[in-house]
Structures are given as C-alpha cells and as structure tokens.
Amino acid sequence: MQTNRGTTRRHLSTSPFAAKASDAIKSFEVGERVTHDREGLGRVHSVESDGAVIIDFGGGRLLRHLAPFAKLHTL
C-alpha cells in the first residue's frame, strides 16, 4: 500500500538519475483575466510584494491567492 506524500523527495547528488526540473513560477499583472478551477473567472486586482495575488471574482468577492498558483490560469 502506498501513501500519498505531501512533499517530494529531495534529489541526492550521488543519484544516477537526473533531478526533476522545477516548474517556472507564474507571474500575473494587474488587470489580467484569469480563471480558477473552483472560483471561476476573475481579474487580477493587485499583486503584492510577497508574490500573493488578489483576484476580483465579481460581486465584491476579492480573494488572495499565494504561490504556487496550481489552480490559477491566465486567459
């Protein structure tokens, strides 16, 4: 039986296998249209210095999302 890990294993320098390449960090600009897997369509309201993005999903719903933005995609 395998358990699901919350984190990935670190790469050992003595391993004969290549290290897994990390995904590029997504960046967003103010006014950019985005879609969220659960929340739906929205527009970037502001980008904070710590990398967080505040998104306006309409109807006064402002939600703050932190990196990594796995469920957030640009249109």
Side-chain angles (χ1 to χ4, degrees):
M1 180 180 200
Q2 294 180 347
T3 60
N4 211 1
R5 293 180 182 261
T7 61
T8 58
R9 292 184 177 187
R10 65 184 175 96
H11 180 72
L12 299 175
S13 62
T14 58
S15 175
F17 303 103
K20 184 178 179 182
S22 62
D23 295 334
I25 297 174
K26 294 181 184 178
S27 62
F28 298 96
E29 297 179 13
V30 175
E32 190 173 18
R33 301 232 18 200
V34 295
T35 181
H36 188 273
D37 291 348
R38 186 176 61 203
E39 302 297 332
L41 296 173
R43 187 175 302 271
V44 176
H45 183 265
S46 63
V47 179
E48 298 180 352
S49 61
D50 62 352
V53 177
I54 298 177
I55 301 171
D56 181 11
F57 287 105
R61 289 189 316 150
L62 291 175
L63 296 177
R64 184 174 187 257
H65 290 279
L66 300 172
F69 307 105
K71 297 182 177 183
L72 195 61
H73 310 283
T74 58
L75 294 178

